[in-house]
Each structure stands twice: as structure tokens, then as C-alpha cells.
Amino acid sequence: MSRREEYETRTERLLQPIAEANSVNIYDVEYVKEGSDYYLRAYIDKPEGVNIQDCENVSRRLSDELDREDFIRDAYILEVSSPGLGRTLKKDKHLQASIGQDVEIKLFRPVDKCRVFCGVLEGFDAEQVTLRNGDTAIILKRTDIAVIRLAIDF
């Protein structure tokens, strides 16, 4: 397990009882380096959407637990927020919850001269993701996919 994965896993374990106590769900936890700074991000959600108070309550409790456990070696910035409307679908649980919804998929390199595909998420497995765009089924290899996001329709 990489250091990043260890930090994310341990943080998610600390976050679980905090999320339950605040009636929110853990959407994702990520530890990333952007420029010269490290960020530990916890994304929380609930059916009616999270508000600033939810984020503040979870952030304060999580910060206290992280200080107590003190397992992250580097200085980092803690952020607690909603995954947003155009949320990234990183994990199988995110994809499963989004079947039947409009998504946008960006590829690492073009397939049939196209790098971006939009449609209704129809299904997925370990190797591929299937979209429906009108009467056309689009099957994309997961190894070709850079990012999948919920599409935002304005």
C-alpha cells in the first residue's frame, strides 16, 4: 500500500464515526500534492445535500482526530466539502449509484477521433463502461478513461 493509500484509508476510518454522528455519508477521501502543498480532502454528502455547517462540524472533529493520531508526516491542508454537482465518479460504488444518470467521460487519448463522450451511464464492469447516447451504445475501456463526471445540465 502506498503512503497516499495508507493516509486515505486511515483517514476514512477516523472519519466514519464522525460522518455517522453528523448524519452525512463519506463520498471520498483523497491525499494529493498540488504544487508544493499537500491536501487531505474529505468529500461528504447526504440526500438533501450538505451545507457549510455540515462541513464545518465534520472538519473540526476530523482535524482533532488527525491531530490526536498524527500519522501524516508532511504538512497538509485539510479540506472538507461536498463532491459537488459535477462530481467525479472514481469508485465502483460511485458508478453504481449513478447508473441511469447523464455522465461525461474524458479519455487519455482519442478513440474514433473523440476524447470526450457524453450519455447515460448504462453499466460497467472491471474492464469497460457502457453509455447510451440516443439509440447508440458506447462501450469504452476503463484503462482509456481519464475521468468520469456527472454531467451538469443547465
Side-chain angles (χ1 to χ4, degrees):
M1 179 181 298
S2 71
R3 183 173 62 148
R4 177 189 57 80
E5 291 170 322
E6 176 191 348
Y7 291 171
E8 290 171 355
T9 300
R10 289 183 72 178
T11 300
E12 191 162 344
R13 259 186 265 152
L14 289 176
L15 182 56
Q16 189 61 49
I18 297 167
E20 289 172 9
N22 285 276
S23 302
V24 298
N25 302 310
I26 300 169
Y27 185 79
D28 200 11
V29 173
E30 66 179 10
Y31 181 76
V32 295
K33 185 174 185 181
E34 293 177 2
S36 61
D37 295 320
Y38 286 94
Y39 290 85
L40 179 62
R41 293 188 176 115
Y43 297 99
I44 58 173
D45 202 10
K46 61 183 180 183
E48 64 275 16
V50 296
N51 59 43
I52 192 73
Q53 193 64 54
D54 294 322
C55 294
E56 183 180 341
N57 292 341
V58 170
S59 179
R60 287 179 192 274
R61 295 251 336 262
L62 180 57
S63 179
D64 290 345
E65 288 300 310
L66 288 165
D67 287 346
R68 188 175 59 75
E69 294 285 325
D70 198 28
F71 58 86
I72 300 176
R73 295 186 302 208
D74 305 299
Y76 62 90
I77 298 164
L78 174 63
E79 294 179 349
V80 176
S81 70
S82 160
L85 294 175
R87 61 192 60 193
T88 301
L89 308 177
K90 292 182 182 178
K91 300 177 178 178
D92 284 354
K93 70 179 184 177
H94 302 152
L95 291 169
Q96 185 63 44
S98 301
I99 288 180
Q101 296 186 45
D102 289 328
V103 297
E104 176 185 88
I105 297 179
K106 293 182 182 178
L107 305 179
F108 290 113
R109 58 190 165 285
V111 170
D112 297 330
K113 299 182 182 178
C114 192
R115 286 185 73 160
V116 178
F117 292 85
C118 297
V120 174
L121 180 61
E122 199 166 77
F124 69 96
D125 61 28
E127 294 112 77
Q128 60 192 24
V129 172
T130 304
L131 299 179
R132 171 108 5 227
N133 191 327
D135 292 334
T136 305
I138 302 165
I139 300 172
L140 301 167
K141 293 180 188 174
R142 285 183 84 162
T143 55
D144 291 339
I145 297 173
V147 67
I148 305 174
R149 286 195 164 92
L150 285 182
I152 302 174
D153 187 24
F154 289 100

